[in-house]
Amino acid sequence: MSPSVPLQEMIRAIRSARTQCEERGVIQRECAAIRAQFRQSDNGGRSHNLAKLLYVHMLGYPAHFGQMECVRMIASPRYSEKRVGYLGAMMLLDEKQDASLLITNSIKNDLSHSNQYVQSLALCTLACMGSAEMCRDLAPEIDRLLRASNSYIKKKAALCAVHIVRKVHDLGELFTPAARSLLAEKNHGVLHGAVVLITELCERNQETLERFRKVPGTVPDLVQIMKGLVISGYSPEHDVAGISDPFLQVRILRLLRILGRNNEGASDAMNDLLAQVATNTDSTKTVGNAVLYETVLTVLHIKSESGLRVLAVNILGRFLLNNDRNIRYIAMISLQKIVGTDHNAVQRHRGTIVDCLKDQDASVKRRALDLSLALVSASNVRSMMKELLLFLSSCPPELRAQAASGIFNAAERYAPSQRWHIDTILHVLTTAGGDVRDETVPNLIQLITNASELHCYTVHKLYRALLTDISQQSLVQVACWCIGEYGDLLLRGECQETEPVQVTEDDVLDALETVLQSHMSSPATRGFALTATMKLSTRITDNVDRIRSIVSIYGSCIDVELQQRAVEYNALFRKYDHMRFVLKMQSSVFCSGSNRQVSPLVFLPQVCDLLDLLGGSEVTLQPIPAVGGTAPGLFTNTSSTTGGDLLDLLGGLEPAPPELSYLIFSAAPTVQVYEKAGVALTLSCEKQSDSGLTVTLTASNSTDSDISSFTLQAAVPKVCLINRANSSCFTQSKSFFRLQVNLKMRIRISYSSQGSAFQDTVQIDSFPGLSAAGH
Amino acid sequence: MMRFLLLFSRQGKLRLQKWFTPISEREKKKIIRDMTSMVLARQPRSCNFLHWKDLKIIYKRYASLYFCLAIENQENELLALEVIHRYVELLDKYFGNVCELDIIFNFEKAYFILDEFLMGGEIQETSKQMVNRSIEASDMLQEDDNSDWYEVELFG
């Protein structure tokens, strides 16, 4: 066909424009000429003009003034004008434009035109941009064409009907009978159209679906058609690389999927065929794999036999090994969809999937990651995690966050041991610390806190990690916190689980100071380091002054957060030194829910409240639970709380008003505090450090008979917090910090002797060797 | 069903656009921008499938032209690749060793061929010969539209 010269000239002119501005100039001139031509009545070049306009439109310039011209051209008797007119209608008009209604009549007329190519234009346009109104108008016409016309028109009418059903669902009823009869056609185009139409009808309407299932023959008919395509000889017209009409095959498989879903009978009828297609289809080219892929999807979505399902999953497994990247990607997606339902079948291909983590293509890698994470289970968690951690160290940056959080989730669900869990998290933090979510730090801290037997191991590991690299903020934060909390374990120089480090207090403080001073540390990390340094002041003995100087330096730091903390810590050193014990409180208070550590001075008001409380209002005092034992003088730690009934013991205790003064301790004398019926209690105090005092209570039995079930309970005002940490110690040490002078204690003794139970209480108001010194 | 088909050059210039659902002009322009930037950013040996909103995007490069087809989620991606390939074969048969310039200077023919192959977002004719014959007959009709109509009945 000869090309349109005017059109091509214009295209040449536009393309030769060197700048955007020049191009716009050319186009404006051309559009003006076109507009002028449109205004003139019928001339020979109308189709060329409209074509020019359509080209301009494709470049992105406005062309709405051509809409009416399209309408006019569609109504023209000349085929060349109709052709371009309909093309223009499809490009410039859509159902939202008013002008589109104007072509309804033309379409109606052209649908009954004597020439099938004119009919074809009308059908095509209707299927492309027909509005709901137009569809309702013209549906009977389409139905007529579905029944009685040649195959060229029938196939187009079928797809037109599909469009109508999509626009106006109710009209599906109208087309159902015709659709069914079309399945008997031999022409592939018509068959294809019929299958698409039936698919659309079944998807839209459950009743129609049931009808197609029930009507004897739909499934067998489809099966028959498929068999014809798969088994019969070479058909040159429809052959694509050895597959006979793959487009039709795929559509039929899809329809079978819909018919067989949740329906035993239909699924049974297609079982053999699916097995045949799955085994006989040549999978060397993409087109064969397209058919196989559709077959697999169908098998997995209907009620197929288990043997067939395994065959389908194996096909996917084979796809995973295919050289073609697209096929590997498809396999991953499909396996991901069925990993929930056919978990065991997919597990069999775990090795291949894990290998795909090393694929070059980013999409395949992403899918492999999703699938690998879904395949982690209690039995394979160790080996899978090894692979995933390896992947994490070399994976593309956009996948890091997802990989890290996936690993955390899997570790949390399937961790075989706490130590493994902590190791895994530390590994992730070392490799991809920058990509983990914010909750990781508090979560990890919670985990470490709970794994109490691993504190020593953890702090050693984190200390070593800190020495190696201080750039990963999450890791550094956790390490600082850990050192602050368990630094004493580090300094002790012994550890069962790992090689202990021989460090001095100076070394530890050096490490923390490095973090504080490093330009790599974020403000939050510096906060962690500062608080850790401060906490160490209660856990180490020699370098408290060094800590004081570090802390006071930051009192003039530019960062407001750090400055505030430093000032508060300084205050703790100076005025509230007796309350530095607050820093020994369990750290879960610091880390609940947020990334930051709350300044310990937040708790000071609470402590002050307590002190006020002791000035006269109701006191809730905290007794020390103690368990019965026959060894006198020994307190043992117990988890049972026997506090309830002791509280009434403490009613009436009237502590003196608080005085913030220092205590001076001298040597420890012994005094007897209780003596009755041969049972005596003596008390001695010993100053152990300038912040600690040991009180020893010794009970003795001077009667002839034995005493059993001896219980000793002691209660002190709550302000004097008892350090219960040293549970392995021989004697319970009560550490009283530099607090108010008047320490009081109430003791209850209960025992049985000679078959009868005894109980007594004694209050100790003064402790030997304790005296107040003015501050 | 298919939602749209775009053809664009390596520089991002649009050569053909076919929309199978009604979309506003503004929306079309946005989609074209998104598609061109997404597809042109892909590495040479990557997978031909992308995800965009709720659609699957299948793209393939033939010489200097990118063919970009958007399909709904339940469609078969591998078959979509075959659809693109079939269209290229049809163009090739018609123009004889088709190149980008053919499609630029004869864009309306490219549309006519497409309209014989796809319709309403679905495949219309699965036989290459049938499509070619229809196009030839239509072209002949156009040549002789000054005289009487030809009655051309294809064997069906």
Side-chain angles (χ1 to χ4, degrees):
Chain A
M1 187 195 124
S2 56
S4 158
V5 175
L7 170 65
Q8 301 210 331
E9 272 178 12
M10 183 196 78
I11 296 178
R12 225 167 266 126
I14 294 174
R15 281 169 64 80
S16 59
R18 262 160 297 159
T19 63
Q20 185 77 8
C21 193
E22 225 182 293
E23 180 184 289
R24 244 176 295 158
V26 173
I27 287 179
Q28 265 171 4
R29 275 197 307 276
E30 289 288 345
C31 283
I34 293 169
R35 247 187 292 231
Q37 297 270 350
F38 283 170
R39 268 183 250 122
Q40 288 179 16
S41 52
D42 187 30
N43 57 56
R46 275 169 72 188
S47 52
H48 302 300
N49 285 325
L50 188 54
K52 282 195 218 174
L53 184 60
L54 294 179
Y55 182 81
V56 163
H57 170 75
M58 189 153 64
L59 290 179
Y61 295 91
H64 41 267
F65 58 87
Q67 287 175 1
M68 283 315 292
E69 186 67 12
C70 292
V71 176
R72 253 177 264 131
M73 303 238 326
I74 286 172
S76 155
R78 290 155 77 148
Y79 180 71
S80 57
E81 291 182 357
K82 268 198 205 291
R83 212 181 186 194
V84 182
Y86 273 116
L87 179 63
M90 285 192 272
M91 284 176 77
L92 300 180
L93 294 173
D94 60 37
E95 57 181 40
K96 297 194 183 77
Q97 316 285 350
D98 296 328
S100 63
L101 285 175
L102 297 172
I103 63 174
T104 315
N105 217 28
S106 297
I107 293 181
K108 194 174 198 161
N109 292 336
D110 285 339
L111 281 176
S112 357
H113 202 279
S114 51
N115 186 302
Q116 66 177 10
Y117 296 107
V118 175
Q119 284 178 302
S120 152
L121 289 175
L123 285 165
C124 194
T125 310
L126 183 60
C128 175
M129 44 77 73
S131 64
E133 257 187 72
M134 288 163 72
C135 289
R136 254 187 278 261
D137 242 346
L138 299 167
E141 198 51 35
I142 302 299
D143 188 49
R144 188 183 64 80
L145 289 173
L146 267 181
R147 295 168 195 278
S149 56
N150 61 32
S151 42
Y152 180 70
I153 295 298
K154 265 193 195 158
K155 78 181 182 212
K156 294 186 190 249
L159 289 180
C160 216
V162 171
H163 174 84
I164 292 176
V165 172
R166 283 181 183 149
K167 278 277 180 235
V168 186
H169 305 328
D170 307 326
L171 287 172
E173 279 297 314
L174 175 64
F175 296 120
T176 310
R180 180 68 189 86
S181 57
L182 282 177
L183 274 185
E185 296 272 337
K186 291 280 173 285
N187 180 292
H188 280 220
V190 179
L191 265 180
H192 188 275
V195 173
V196 175
L197 180 56
I198 297 175
T199 310
E200 190 67 33
L201 293 170
C202 291
E203 275 178 340
R204 298 255 163 218
N205 190 318
Q206 188 63 26
E207 270 181 47
T208 318
L209 172 61
E210 289 305 324
R211 251 197 296 175
F212 272 106
R213 270 187 188 143
K214 260 202 236 106
V215 168
T218 314
V219 173
D221 279 351
L222 291 168
V223 167
Q224 201 59 39
I225 298 170
M226 267 303 279
K227 274 212 175 98
L229 293 171
V230 172
I231 301 176
S232 73
Y234 176 71
S235 155
E237 198 170 341
H238 298 109
D239 181 271
V240 181
I243 313 281
S244 186
D245 206 341
F247 303 105
L248 182 58
Q249 286 195 30
V250 166
R251 269 341 278 242
I252 293 180
L253 285 166
R254 214 167 111 187
L255 180 54
L256 286 175
R257 181 154 82 236
I258 295 172
L259 291 172
R261 197 181 287 152
N262 293 329
N263 187 299
E264 293 270 353
S267 302
D268 283 337
M270 56 182 85
N271 215 59
D272 287 344
L273 168 75
L274 293 172
Q276 202 165 31
V277 177
T279 17
N280 286 351
T281 307
D282 175 26
S283 58
T284 46
K285 296 276 177 61
T286 309
V287 67
N289 287 322
V291 175
L292 277 175
Y293 175 46
E294 198 72 30
T295 315
V296 166
L297 289 179
T298 302
V299 167
L300 294 173
H301 284 99
I302 63 173
K303 292 200 174 286
S304 46
E305 295 176 352
S306 61
L308 195 54
R309 285 185 92 85
V310 170
L311 179 60
V313 178
N314 287 347
I315 291 179
L316 290 179
R318 255 192 4 246
F319 277 2
L320 279 179
L321 300 166
N322 197 302
N323 284 331
D324 188 340
R325 185 160 287 124
N326 295 327
I327 307 224
R328 288 205 296 276
Y329 179 81
I330 293 291
M332 294 276 193
I333 299 213
S334 314
L335 287 169
Q336 182 81 38
K337 289 197 191 127
I338 58 167
V339 74
T341 48
D342 297 76
H343 191 92
N344 293 331
V346 181
Q347 280 281 5
R348 249 175 259 140
H349 301 278
R350 194 176 71 238
T352 328
I353 292 169
V354 167
D355 281 339
C356 285
L357 283 172
K358 306 183 190 102
D359 197 295
Q360 299 290 340
D361 184 273
S363 314
V364 174
K365 267 202 174 98
R366 182 188 299 268
R367 298 287 153 195
L369 176 62
D370 285 341
L371 209 45
S372 304
L373 288 171
L375 287 176
V376 177
S377 70
S379 49
N380 60 30
V381 65
R382 282 187 198 263
S383 53
M384 284 297 279
M385 207 47 86
K386 241 189 263 164
E387 295 287 344
L388 287 168
L389 288 172
L390 200 61
F391 171 71
L392 187 64
S393 50
S394 60
C395 82
E398 65 268 12
L399 288 179
R400 271 227 180 106
Q402 190 186 347
S405 65
I407 290 175
F408 282 152
N409 288 340
E412 201 170 304
R413 282 173 70 187
Y414 301 112
S417 72
Q418 274 183 325
R419 177 170 161 175
W420 181 93
H421 194 175
I422 290 178
D423 280 342
T424 308
I425 299 185
L426 290 181
H427 193 142
V428 174
L429 286 181
T430 331
T431 337
D435 295 292
V436 298
R437 281 204 298 264
D438 289 338
E439 314 85 78
T440 315
V441 171
N443 285 346
L444 179 56
I445 288 177
Q446 191 69 40
L447 186 64
I448 294 177
T449 316
N450 292 338
S452 43
E453 45 313 338
L454 290 171
H455 285 164
C456 196
Y457 168 75
T458 314
V459 72
H460 274 88
K461 255 203 118 150
L462 281 169
Y463 178 72
R464 287 205 178 89
L466 195 64
L467 289 180
T468 330
D469 173 24
I470 58 170
S471 61
Q472 301 276 33
Q473 298 305 301
S474 329
L475 188 61
V476 172
Q477 285 171 8
V478 179
C480 288
W481 175 87
C482 214
I483 292 174
E485 194 67 24
Y486 307 117
D488 45 334
L489 296 176
L490 195 61
L491 292 167
R492 216 182 289 166
E494 60 191 38
C495 181
Q496 285 171 341
E497 321 264 337
T498 179
E499 185 74 34
V501 288
Q502 303 302 329
V503 285
T504 63
E505 294 173 1
D506 270 315
D507 295 331
V508 178
L509 288 174
D510 281 341
L512 288 175
E513 247 191 305
T514 317
V515 174
L516 268 173
Q517 289 164 355
S518 164
H519 61 275
M520 286 190 280
S521 302
S522 72
T525 312
R526 286 218 178 88
F528 270 89
L530 189 62
T531 309
T533 312
M534 190 60 194
K535 275 172 154 181
L536 279 180
S537 74
T538 53
R539 287 160 172 80
I540 63 175
T541 47
D542 300 326
N543 279 304
V544 184
D545 283 331
R546 180 175 171 187
I547 294 179
R548 278 183 87 153
S549 63
I550 294 175
V551 167
S552 58
I553 289 175
Y554 280 88
S556 45
C557 174
I558 276 186
D559 185 278
V560 174
E561 175 73 36
L562 274 181
Q563 190 187 98
Q564 181 184 348
R565 284 188 198 213
V567 165
E568 287 169 353
Y569 293 154
N570 264 327
L572 265 184
F573 269 118
R574 269 183 278 112
K575 289 203 317 184
Y576 299 105
D577 206 25
H578 54 280
M579 289 197 237
R580 275 195 293 128
F581 70 87
V582 168
L583 298 165
K584 268 195 154 161
M585 285 164 67
Q586 260 305 314
S587 56
S588 56
V589 181
F590 285 91
C591 295
S592 50
S594 69
N595 214 353
R596 305 180 15 174
Q597 283 182 301
V598 182
S599 163
L601 269 191
V602 168
F603 299 97
L604 277 180
Q606 297 172 17
V607 178
C608 291
D609 288 347
L610 275 176
L611 294 174
D612 284 335
L613 273 181
L614 297 169
S617 50
E618 287 218 327
V619 185
T620 49
L621 298 176
Q622 182 173 346
I624 319 158
V627 83
T630 49
L634 277 180
F635 299 170
T636 47
N637 209 355
T638 166
S639 57
S640 66
T641 43
T642 52
D645 45 357
L646 266 187
L647 286 179
D648 42 39
L649 256 190
L650 305 168
L653 248 191
E654 280 173 8
E659 265 177 53
L660 306 174
S661 45
Y662 279 75
L663 300 163
I664 295 178
F665 305 103
S666 44
T670 317
V671 76
Q672 187 178 67
V673 291
Y674 172 78
E675 207 275 313
K676 203 189 259 186
V679 177
L681 210 58
T682 56
L683 180 144
S684 72
C685 303
E686 237 176 73
K687 179 187 170 202
Q688 283 201 320
S689 67
D690 58 357
S691 60
L693 172 77
T694 310
V695 174
T696 315
L697 280 164
T698 316
S700 55
N701 172 20
S702 56
T703 64
D704 295 329
S705 48
D706 285 334
I707 289 179
S708 58
S709 318
F710 184 84
T711 326
L712 206 133
Q713 292 170 308
V716 292
K718 198 171 183 183
V719 168
C720 318
L721 272 186
I722 309 296
N723 181 1
R724 262 183 263 151
N726 306 332
S727 53
S728 56
C729 284
F730 192 69
T731 46
Q732 176 108 356
S733 57
K734 302 190 194 76
S735 320
F736 300 124
F737 295 93
R738 296 172 190 182
L739 247 196
Q740 54 168 13
V741 176
N742 292 336
L743 183 61
K744 294 181 193 295
M745 192 188 290
R746 229 178 226 178
I747 309 229
R748 178 197 270 161
I749 318 170
S750 63
Y751 60 90
S752 36
S753 168
Q754 293 171 328
S756 39
F758 290 85
Q759 209 184 59
D760 211 343
T761 344
V762 64
Q763 180 167 328
I764 309 170
D765 292 326
S766 69
F767 285 77
L770 247 57
S771 63
H775 177 53
Chain B
M1 69 180 267
M2 293 172 251
R3 290 287 187 88
F4 56 81
L5 172 68
L6 302 174
L7 265 72
F8 46 86
S9 69
R10 301 265 303 278
Q11 288 76 36
K13 291 206 92 120
L14 194 67
R15 298 302 176 203
L16 188 142
Q17 51 176 326
K18 185 76 186 175
W19 306 90
F20 296 111
T21 47
I23 301 181
S24 70
E25 281 296 327
R26 242 176 92 206
E27 191 61 31
K28 281 183 195 173
K29 286 203 163 72
K30 180 161 188 313
I31 293 176
I32 293 168
R33 264 202 315 271
D34 285 348
M35 288 300 116
T36 41
S37 53
M38 258 173 59
V39 171
L40 291 174
R42 294 285 280 179
Q43 300 291 334
R45 258 189 278 276
S46 337
C47 192
N48 292 93
F49 310 137
L50 291 168
H51 273 277
W52 182 80
K53 298 205 181 162
D54 60 333
L55 299 176
K56 298 196 249 207
I57 309 294
I58 319 302
Y59 75 93
K60 190 126 191 252
R61 189 173 140 220
Y62 288 86
S64 59
L65 270 183
Y66 282 94
F67 286 70
C68 176
L69 180 63
I71 58 178
E72 286 176 351
N73 260 318
Q74 71 270 26
E75 298 287 332
N76 185 323
E77 295 98 315
L78 296 175
L79 199 74
L81 273 177
E82 289 301 312
V83 168
I84 294 177
H85 191 72
R86 173 58 67 90
Y87 183 48
V88 173
E89 284 179 323
L90 291 169
L91 289 171
D92 196 54
K93 184 81 203 301
Y94 184 82
F95 289 109
N97 274 338
V98 66
C99 63
E100 190 183 344
L101 281 177
D102 289 323
I103 299 181
I104 295 171
F105 281 95
N106 298 284
F107 73 95
E108 80 276 22
K109 313 287 185 7
Y111 276 102
F112 295 149
I113 296 171
L114 188 62
D115 287 337
E116 285 294 329
F117 174 42
L118 306 175
M119 190 160 103
E122 304 285 350
I123 298 167
Q124 188 192 142
E125 177 58 66
T126 58
S127 155
K128 265 189 282 193
Q129 290 91 320
M130 286 299 299
V131 176
N132 288 331
R133 266 183 255 161
S134 312
I135 291 289
E136 279 167 29
S138 308
D139 285 348
M140 276 206 307
L141 199 55
Q142 188 161 338
E143 293 269 311
D144 299 313
D145 70 358
N146 284 325
S147 52
D148 296 346
W149 294 107
Y150 277 118
E151 291 277 304
V152 179
E153 278 288 302
L154 282 176
F155 179 70

